Amino acid sequence: QADYITQEVKDCVARELAELKTRGGVDPTNICTNFLAAIARRPAVDETNGASLAQEELDIRVQVNQVRQSPQYTLAALQEGIYVIGMKDQFNVHDLAGHPLHGRIQYVADDMGFVLYDAAGAKHVDEFGPYYVEQYILMEILSKHEVAHNMLNYYVKHRQKLQASLESYDESQGQGFICWRFLMNEAVRAVAAETAAKTPADTAAAAAAAAAATS
């Protein structure tokens, strides 16, 4: 049976622990402090629209990926562009209060996109939170999830309609990824209705133009 965690990740953690031991012991809080300090030091990058699925519209560039195919995981979101991946039940709502990163975690989602914890409270496809497009880019990269794939394609083509559907969604059927099936269905119906409404008007305008041309 294959190891759940790759050797590269194990080696990285082993090096970090060895370094901490030479400095006087291993404290999980210190590891988290070092991680947060590294985040603060990261260089600024140019703003982008996210990353792709419609590869020509969005631009996914995976620099390093040590996560195995089709993983079961929980994802703790700290801020835009900063997420911590853990094992399936690692970031659960019952144990979260005791985690050294608890004060920085804004929401937690699992590999199916279900939101397990949410302190962000944002409902926008272009703002950090459980409905932010980054969440679904990560799901597409990590899980190759079909609904994430569809959502990203729809985000590229009909972003405003997707956002309008999200604003009217009351989360009674579930928070996070579960809602996208309903939202995309609503958005598809809205586009179809808009197209149907335009068609008679376009036909009438074309007929009027043809009549004027022959008179």
Side-chain angles (χ1 to χ4, degrees), residues 103-119:
R104 300 294 295 269
I105 294 174
Q106 298 302 304
Y107 72 87
V108 175
D110 67 10
D111 55 294
M112 296 300 293
F114 293 106
V115 176
L116 310 179
Y117 168 81
D118 180 23

PDB file of all heavy atoms in Angstrom, residues 103-119:
ATOM      1  N   GLY A 103      -6.612  31.146  15.076  1.00  0.00           N
ATOM      2  CA  GLY A 103      -6.952  32.564  14.952  1.00  0.00           C
ATOM      3  C   GLY A 103      -6.783  33.115  13.549  1.00  0.00           C
ATOM      4  O   GLY A 103      -7.291  34.196  13.235  1.00  0.00           O
ATOM      5  N   ARG A 104      -6.083  32.368  12.689  1.00  0.00           N
ATOM      6  CA  ARG A 104      -5.837  32.831  11.321  1.00  0.00           C
ATOM      7  C   ARG A 104      -6.694  32.104  10.282  1.00  0.00           C
ATOM      8  O   ARG A 104      -6.782  32.550   9.148  1.00  0.00           O
ATOM      9  CB  ARG A 104      -4.351  32.622  10.968  1.00  0.00           C
ATOM     10  CG  ARG A 104      -3.385  33.375  11.861  1.00  0.00           C
ATOM     11  CD  ARG A 104      -3.510  34.875  11.701  1.00  0.00           C
ATOM     12  NE  ARG A 104      -3.115  35.303  10.364  1.00  0.00           N
ATOM     13  CZ  ARG A 104      -1.874  35.662  10.037  1.00  0.00           C
ATOM     14  NH1 ARG A 104      -0.926  35.680  10.968  1.00  0.00           N
ATOM     15  NH2 ARG A 104      -1.580  36.035   8.806  1.00  0.00           N
ATOM     16  N   ILE A 105      -7.294  30.993  10.676  1.00  0.00           N
ATOM     17  CA  ILE A 105      -8.078  30.211   9.712  1.00  0.00           C
ATOM     18  C   ILE A 105      -9.435  30.883   9.489  1.00  0.00           C
ATOM     19  O   ILE A 105     -10.196  31.102  10.431  1.00  0.00           O
ATOM     20  CB  ILE A 105      -8.271  28.762  10.210  1.00  0.00           C
ATOM     21  CG1 ILE A 105      -6.921  28.037  10.250  1.00  0.00           C
ATOM     22  CG2 ILE A 105      -9.244  28.005   9.305  1.00  0.00           C
ATOM     23  CD1 ILE A 105      -6.979  26.657  10.867  1.00  0.00           C
ATOM     24  N   GLN A 106      -9.718  31.204   8.232  1.00  0.00           N
ATOM     25  CA  GLN A 106     -10.961  31.886   7.882  1.00  0.00           C
ATOM     26  C   GLN A 106     -12.078  30.921   7.492  1.00  0.00           C
ATOM     27  O   GLN A 106     -13.248  31.187   7.750  1.00  0.00           O
ATOM     28  CB  GLN A 106     -10.702  32.863   6.733  1.00  0.00           C
ATOM     29  CG  GLN A 106      -9.705  33.951   7.081  1.00  0.00           C
ATOM     30  CD  GLN A 106     -10.165  34.769   8.283  1.00  0.00           C
ATOM     31  OE1 GLN A 106     -11.262  35.344   8.285  1.00  0.00           O
ATOM     32  NE2 GLN A 106      -9.349  34.804   9.325  1.00  0.00           N
ATOM     33  N   TYR A 107     -11.715  29.822   6.861  1.00  0.00           N
ATOM     34  CA  TYR A 107     -12.703  28.779   6.599  1.00  0.00           C
ATOM     35  C   TYR A 107     -11.977  27.468   6.323  1.00  0.00           C
ATOM     36  O   TYR A 107     -10.776  27.453   6.034  1.00  0.00           O
ATOM     37  CB  TYR A 107     -13.655  29.140   5.449  1.00  0.00           C
ATOM     38  CG  TYR A 107     -13.059  29.111   4.066  1.00  0.00           C
ATOM     39  CD1 TYR A 107     -13.026  27.933   3.313  1.00  0.00           C
ATOM     40  CD2 TYR A 107     -12.549  30.263   3.482  1.00  0.00           C
ATOM     41  CE1 TYR A 107     -12.480  27.905   2.039  1.00  0.00           C
ATOM     42  CE2 TYR A 107     -12.010  30.245   2.203  1.00  0.00           C
ATOM     43  CZ  TYR A 107     -11.990  29.064   1.487  1.00  0.00           C
ATOM     44  OH  TYR A 107     -11.451  29.043   0.229  1.00  0.00           O
ATOM     45  N   VAL A 108     -12.714  26.377   6.444  1.00  0.00           N
ATOM     46  CA  VAL A 108     -12.183  25.038   6.170  1.00  0.00           C
ATOM     47  C   VAL A 108     -13.155  24.329   5.230  1.00  0.00           C
ATOM     48  O   VAL A 108     -14.373  24.349   5.438  1.00  0.00           O
ATOM     49  CB  VAL A 108     -12.024  24.207   7.461  1.00  0.00           C
ATOM     50  CG1 VAL A 108     -11.599  22.779   7.130  1.00  0.00           C
ATOM     51  CG2 VAL A 108     -11.017  24.859   8.408  1.00  0.00           C
ATOM     52  N   ALA A 109     -12.617  23.731   4.179  1.00  0.00           N
ATOM     53  CA  ALA A 109     -13.424  22.941   3.248  1.00  0.00           C
ATOM     54  C   ALA A 109     -12.756  21.588   3.046  1.00  0.00           C
ATOM     55  O   ALA A 109     -11.541  21.453   3.230  1.00  0.00           O
ATOM     56  CB  ALA A 109     -13.562  23.665   1.911  1.00  0.00           C
ATOM     57  N   ASP A 110     -13.546  20.585   2.685  1.00  0.00           N
ATOM     58  CA  ASP A 110     -12.963  19.264   2.449  1.00  0.00           C
ATOM     59  C   ASP A 110     -12.787  19.013   0.957  1.00  0.00           C
ATOM     60  O   ASP A 110     -13.028  19.904   0.127  1.00  0.00           O
ATOM     61  CB  ASP A 110     -13.778  18.163   3.115  1.00  0.00           C
ATOM     62  CG  ASP A 110     -15.162  17.967   2.505  1.00  0.00           C
ATOM     63  OD1 ASP A 110     -15.448  18.559   1.433  1.00  0.00           O
ATOM     64  OD2 ASP A 110     -15.971  17.213   3.083  1.00  0.00           O
ATOM     65  N   ASP A 111     -12.350  17.806   0.603  1.00  0.00           N
ATOM     66  CA  ASP A 111     -12.032  17.499  -0.787  1.00  0.00           C
ATOM     67  C   ASP A 111     -13.255  17.482  -1.690  1.00  0.00           C
ATOM     68  O   ASP A 111     -13.123  17.561  -2.913  1.00  0.00           O
ATOM     69  CB  ASP A 111     -11.315  16.139  -0.872  1.00  0.00           C
ATOM     70  CG  ASP A 111     -12.107  15.025  -0.221  1.00  0.00           C
ATOM     71  OD1 ASP A 111     -12.292  15.064   1.002  1.00  0.00           O
ATOM     72  OD2 ASP A 111     -12.533  14.105  -0.933  1.00  0.00           O
ATOM     73  N   MET A 112     -14.463  17.407  -1.102  1.00  0.00           N
ATOM     74  CA  MET A 112     -15.679  17.467  -1.893  1.00  0.00           C
ATOM     75  C   MET A 112     -16.228  18.889  -1.988  1.00  0.00           C
ATOM     76  O   MET A 112     -17.233  19.141  -2.633  1.00  0.00           O
ATOM     77  CB  MET A 112     -16.748  16.540  -1.281  1.00  0.00           C
ATOM     78  CG  MET A 112     -16.378  15.073  -1.299  1.00  0.00           C
ATOM     79  SD  MET A 112     -16.103  14.463  -2.981  1.00  0.00           S
ATOM     80  CE  MET A 112     -17.749  14.580  -3.659  1.00  0.00           C
ATOM     81  N   GLY A 113     -15.557  19.834  -1.314  1.00  0.00           N
ATOM     82  CA  GLY A 113     -15.979  21.228  -1.367  1.00  0.00           C
ATOM     83  C   GLY A 113     -16.983  21.622  -0.306  1.00  0.00           C
ATOM     84  O   GLY A 113     -17.455  22.757  -0.286  1.00  0.00           O
ATOM     85  N   PHE A 114     -17.315  20.715   0.618  1.00  0.00           N
ATOM     86  CA  PHE A 114     -18.231  21.066   1.691  1.00  0.00           C
ATOM     87  C   PHE A 114     -17.510  21.979   2.695  1.00  0.00           C
ATOM     88  O   PHE A 114     -16.368  21.709   3.076  1.00  0.00           O
ATOM     89  CB  PHE A 114     -18.746  19.818   2.413  1.00  0.00           C
ATOM     90  CG  PHE A 114     -19.626  18.965   1.547  1.00  0.00           C
ATOM     91  CD1 PHE A 114     -19.164  17.768   1.037  1.00  0.00           C
ATOM     92  CD2 PHE A 114     -20.915  19.361   1.230  1.00  0.00           C
ATOM     93  CE1 PHE A 114     -19.964  16.974   0.226  1.00  0.00           C
ATOM     94  CE2 PHE A 114     -21.725  18.580   0.430  1.00  0.00           C
ATOM     95  CZ  PHE A 114     -21.253  17.384  -0.081  1.00  0.00           C
ATOM     96  N   VAL A 115     -18.161  23.024   3.108  1.00  0.00           N
ATOM     97  CA  VAL A 115     -17.573  23.963   4.060  1.00  0.00           C
ATOM     98  C   VAL A 115     -17.819  23.440   5.474  1.00  0.00           C
ATOM     99  O   VAL A 115     -18.959  23.258   5.899  1.00  0.00           O
ATOM    100  CB  VAL A 115     -18.176  25.372   3.896  1.00  0.00           C
ATOM    101  CG1 VAL A 115     -17.624  26.313   4.951  1.00  0.00           C
ATOM    102  CG2 VAL A 115     -17.867  25.908   2.508  1.00  0.00           C
ATOM    103  N   LEU A 116     -16.729  23.192   6.203  1.00  0.00           N
ATOM    104  CA  LEU A 116     -16.817  22.632   7.548  1.00  0.00           C
ATOM    105  C   LEU A 116     -16.771  23.711   8.619  1.00  0.00           C
ATOM    106  O   LEU A 116     -17.215  23.502   9.748  1.00  0.00           O
ATOM    107  CB  LEU A 116     -15.664  21.642   7.765  1.00  0.00           C
ATOM    108  CG  LEU A 116     -15.467  20.577   6.678  1.00  0.00           C
ATOM    109  CD1 LEU A 116     -14.274  19.689   7.003  1.00  0.00           C
ATOM    110  CD2 LEU A 116     -16.729  19.742   6.506  1.00  0.00           C
ATOM    111  N   TYR A 117     -16.217  24.871   8.255  1.00  0.00           N
ATOM    112  CA  TYR A 117     -16.070  25.989   9.202  1.00  0.00           C
ATOM    113  C   TYR A 117     -15.948  27.258   8.376  1.00  0.00           C
ATOM    114  O   TYR A 117     -15.269  27.271   7.349  1.00  0.00           O
ATOM    115  CB  TYR A 117     -14.823  25.778  10.059  1.00  0.00           C
ATOM    116  CG  TYR A 117     -14.400  26.986  10.875  1.00  0.00           C
ATOM    117  CD1 TYR A 117     -15.024  27.290  12.089  1.00  0.00           C
ATOM    118  CD2 TYR A 117     -13.365  27.814  10.435  1.00  0.00           C
ATOM    119  CE1 TYR A 117     -14.629  28.396  12.834  1.00  0.00           C
ATOM    120  CE2 TYR A 117     -12.964  28.906  11.184  1.00  0.00           C
ATOM    121  CZ  TYR A 117     -13.596  29.197  12.382  1.00  0.00           C
ATOM    122  OH  TYR A 117     -13.206  30.298  13.111  1.00  0.00           O
ATOM    123  N   ASP A 118     -16.628  28.320   8.814  1.00  0.00           N
ATOM    124  CA  ASP A 118     -16.558  29.569   8.056  1.00  0.00           C
ATOM    125  C   ASP A 118     -16.610  30.775   8.979  1.00  0.00           C
ATOM    126  O   ASP A 118     -17.606  31.028   9.634  1.00  0.00           O
ATOM    127  CB  ASP A 118     -17.707  29.641   7.045  1.00  0.00           C
ATOM    128  CG  ASP A 118     -17.689  30.926   6.227  1.00  0.00           C
ATOM    129  OD1 ASP A 118     -16.605  31.528   6.108  1.00  0.00           O
ATOM    130  OD2 ASP A 118     -18.752  31.314   5.705  1.00  0.00           O
ATOM    131  N   ALA A 119     -15.488  31.489   9.041  1.00  0.00           N
ATOM    132  CA  ALA A 119     -15.444  32.755   9.775  1.00  0.00           C
ATOM    133  C   ALA A 119     -15.323  33.922   8.807  1.00  0.00           C
ATOM    134  O   ALA A 119     -15.329  35.075   9.224  1.00  0.00           O
ATOM    135  CB  ALA A 119     -14.258  32.757  10.744  1.00  0.00           C
TER     136      ALA A 119
END
